[in-house]
Amino acid sequence: MHQKVKFFLQTLKFSIARFGKCTQKQPHNHLIDCCPWINVRKCHSFKSLQNKCKKLISERNITSRRFSYANLLNTEQENTKSLLINYTDSMERFKKKIEAFYDKYLLTLDSLEIRFGDFIYYEEDGCILRLKLGDGINNCEVLLRLEELSLYNAFVERIRISPGEEYMAASIKTSDSEESTCVIVKLGKYPKVEDFIPNVFSFEWAQNGILLYTCQKNLRCCDVFRTSFGNKKHTERIYTEQDPRFFVDLHCTRDKSFLTINSNSKTTSEVWLVDCHQPWNPPVLVQKRNPGVMYHIEHRNSELYILTNYGEPAEYKLMKTSVNSLTMKNWRLIYALKRKTKLIDMVMFKDHCVMFLKYCNQLYLNTISLNDHSVQSLKLPAWACACQLDPQPQDSGSDACSFQLSSPVHPPRHFLYMLGKGSLYEQAEQEEPVVTDCHMARLEAKSKDGTLVPVTIFYKRNSEILQKKPLLIHVYGAYGIDLNMNFKAENQMLIEDGWILAYCHVRGGGELGLNWHAGGCLNNKLNGLADLEACIKFLHNLGFSKPASTALTTYSAGGILAGALCNTNPRLIRAVALQAPFLDILTTMLDMQLPLTREELEEWGDPSSDDKYMDYIKSYCPYQNIRPQTYPSIIITAYENDQRVPLKGILKYTQRLRKVIMDQRHNRDHGMKICLKT
């Protein structure tokens, strides 16, 4: 069983497990995803926060307007318990039903699996196993048992095999932490653990026994290390990024010739090359960073293939240059994406480049010949909303591209695209659950400025009187990231219960390419709010539900749009579910001591140095614009130790919102309930 699914089912059964790191057991501050009624044990770092608050109070060094976040959290949790006690029976029924749905679709939720050489390496039941191609499953070899390392209820995030298959590196993670531990295993007749590397974010083998990796500290990766294993173990730092806006990770080219050190901000990138044949040589710069120019490197036949937004139009293009003439002036154009096209993924083969694209909210597979630059386009099945390449294909000389397609209500299906024939084949599964009879429609809503905003909806076929059905709106709209359109078993349950699911692809996200993101960030952020309002009104006008039966759900930065909508047009929705939401953006962007503030300046603007951004962010910040009025019912789930979205901002928001509602004395009916769970 997939470890992430195990966590989910354990949560449903109220089984709060103990999580460990490396060889030491530690208590766990479990994230609450979609089961907010579960109480969570407090972990050490939160106790430190409590002690800090108590110390401040005892020293009388705070003003009367400040308060203890620890005490307020306890108050909010008690309040939520008292509100939810009336729904115990309903929650129990929901718990049993969603357990059944996850059991039904468990086979479709694949564990991590890669093919390397003559073996398949995969994760199963807390173990990493190896199976030789052609052998029966009973001949699999156990390479690593996580429990033997005291890594309890952890899962394998990534596996990398060294070129000669002498070593395996695997990152082990728990769902409640940003940090991963990299475990190095010496392969052979009797596999054994050789080393642990803590706080690793990305890693790749350059040669047998030579590993490059980045370490994450305070949500940033700025250093790249090279280490050798065997008789002479040696580690040294080979790259450091000084600019706090940039994040460093590693990538191995498809032909295994180079490792690339990628230093990226939200809008700009810089790449350094490490030759895998000479990994001890210093990294070589491809092209120094230019503001607004992003690029990514692949390699084939002594030529670099560059995926970049350099030049017009301001969408991604495929360019190439010789490894002996790296700078931008030598880049030559091969292929440019059309406007309003989203690049989902790209993979290089011996003579072809395959791009997965989204155009007009429909998925396409484009094959570009690297010999004559001709392009062959294939429209993928209409039901598909999400695409994922199979991890680490065997080699660049293959003539087949394997991937998965899914949608919020369609379990993943495996497909194989034959490059030479241009043919797409579905790889049959041994057993696949029958998909509920569900209708999907791709629509467009006209926003305030006339922009057409894509909306994807799902509902039960032949449903009668759709206006009376409950509607669940999904939105995000930040960082150029698409809405999550992957399969979730609970969506099937909602469809069968008569719900309408709607996904609003507003500006600020990436569904229509780079310009779509630019149209909803910095001083264009209010476009995303206008898009969201337009989508909801559009659906209601078409007869899909009504405001009294409409709920809105989002997470993280999507909380800005959801919180802003609650302030500007609260009667448009009945209820809101916010997961670790970003609600006090103005205070956050003014605090340069927080780990991500400098990195986020290119998304939101800098209110500390520009009064225009100060006024603009203040105009839509959910916390700053709470006003006396009737609000929708709101439930907020949060992490106790969230470094990305600090708990204190969420607590400030709930306190202020509750006070305004109580003062207004409009706390009857649906406007009276505000719940916060951690």
Side-chain angles (χ1 to χ4, degrees), residues 111-296:
S111 297
L112 177 64
E113 177 181 298
I114 67 168
R115 177 178 170 180
F116 195 96
D118 295 329
F119 291 91
I120 294 176
Y121 297 79
Y122 62 99
E123 174 203 6
E124 185 175 284
D125 290 331
C127 297
I128 298 178
L129 303 104
R130 178 169 66 177
L131 179 66
K132 191 169 185 178
L133 293 173
D135 284 359
I137 193 68
N138 293 330
N139 294 323
C140 66
E141 176 187 9
V142 177
L143 303 178
L144 182 68
R145 298 182 189 274
L146 302 187
E147 287 190 358
E148 291 180 358
L149 305 176
S150 299
L151 296 172
Y152 298 98
N153 285 314
F155 62 90
V156 181
E157 187 177 39
R158 179 185 298 180
I159 296 173
R160 292 291 184 266
I161 308 300
S162 65
E165 297 187 75
E166 293 183 12
Y167 289 92
M168 176 183 73
S171 56
I172 315 298
K173 195 175 186 298
T174 59
S175 59
D176 67 321
S177 173
E178 295 270 355
E179 299 173 353
S180 298
T181 297
C182 185
V183 182
I184 309 299
V185 177
K186 179 70 178 296
L187 302 177
K189 186 175 181 180
Y190 301 104
K192 64 177 182 178
V193 174
E194 184 158 318
D195 202 2
F196 292 92
I197 309 175
N199 305 328
V200 170
F201 179 79
S202 60
F203 54 94
E204 297 286 352
W205 292 101
Q207 288 184 0
N208 271 322
I210 300 178
L211 183 76
L212 271 67
Y213 63 91
T214 64
C215 283
Q216 183 169 267
K217 182 179 181 181
N218 206 22
L219 299 182
R220 286 197 66 235
C221 279
C222 57
D223 294 318
V224 178
F225 296 90
R226 177 175 54 211
T227 189
S228 59
F229 298 94
N231 295 330
K232 296 181 179 180
K233 188 175 183 304
H234 176 72
T235 300
E236 63 178 329
R237 180 166 49 194
I238 63 171
Y239 178 86
T240 297
E241 174 57 64
Q242 301 293 343
D243 193 327
R245 297 173 300 163
F246 284 73
F247 188 95
V248 179
D249 68 359
L250 297 171
H251 169 74
C252 184
T253 60
R254 182 75 185 278
D255 63 2
K256 314 298 181 187
S257 294
F258 290 96
L259 298 186
T260 63
I261 299 173
N262 309 289
S263 187
N264 305 304
S265 75
K266 298 293 184 185
T267 63
T268 305
S269 61
E270 184 176 86
V271 179
W272 297 71
L273 296 179
V274 176
D275 189 338
C276 290
H277 302 292
Q278 298 174 316
W280 297 108
N281 288 350
V284 176
L285 176 64
V286 175
Q287 167 63 48
K288 69 177 182 180
R289 63 192 63 169
N290 288 312
V293 175
M294 296 178 287
Y295 69 99
H296 171 80

Side-chain angles (χ1 to χ4, degrees), residues 447-487:
S447 192
K448 185 177 180 180
D449 61 359
T451 301
L452 295 178
V453 183
V455 184
T456 309
I457 61 171
F458 302 87
Y459 57 94
K460 198 168 187 178
R461 197 182 299 273
N462 301 324
S463 292
E464 297 180 359
I465 319 179
L466 287 171
Q467 193 172 20
K468 294 185 178 180
K469 300 295 184 181
L471 169 65
L472 182 61
I473 302 285
H474 298 77
V475 71
Y476 188 71
Y479 307 121
I481 296 174
D482 294 8
L483 262 175
N484 185 351
M485 300 286 282
N486 291 307
F487 173 72

Side-chain angles (χ1 to χ4, degrees), residues 35 61 129 233 253 255 300 350 354 414 514 518 566 585 639:
C35 302
N61 286 332
L129 303 104
K233 188 175 183 304
T253 60
D255 63 2
R300 167 188 175 267
K350 180 181 179 181
V354 175
H414 294 265
L514 298 176
C566 289
I585 181 174
Y639 300 81

Side-chain angles (χ1 to χ4, degrees), residues 418-528:
M418 304 304 296
L419 296 173
K421 300 178 181 179
S423 302
L424 183 66
Y425 301 93
E426 182 171 0
Q427 297 175 286
E429 299 290 336
Q430 291 183 350
E431 184 177 343
E432 184 173 328
V434 178
V435 178
T436 303
D437 190 15
C438 178
H439 181 70
M440 180 181 72
R442 292 184 170 97
L443 308 172
E444 288 182 323
K446 184 177 288 188
S447 192
K448 185 177 180 180
D449 61 359
T451 301
L452 295 178
V453 183
V455 184
T456 309
I457 61 171
F458 302 87
Y459 57 94
K460 198 168 187 178
R461 197 182 299 273
N462 301 324
S463 292
E464 297 180 359
I465 319 179
L466 287 171
Q467 193 172 20
K468 294 185 178 180
K469 300 295 184 181
L471 169 65
L472 182 61
I473 302 285
H474 298 77
V475 71
Y476 188 71
Y479 307 121
I481 296 174
D482 294 8
L483 262 175
N484 185 351
M485 300 286 282
N486 291 307
F487 173 72
K488 290 185 177 180
E490 57 265 34
N491 288 335
Q492 281 284 3
M493 185 190 70
L494 292 172
I495 292 294
E496 290 197 4
D497 284 349
W499 280 78
I500 304 166
L501 306 182
Y503 294 78
C504 301
H505 309 290
V506 304
R507 279 174 284 185
E511 286 86 346
L512 271 68
L514 298 176
N515 281 321
W516 195 248
H517 171 223
C521 67
L522 295 174
N523 56 1
N524 294 318
K525 193 63 191 177
L526 285 173
N527 286 340

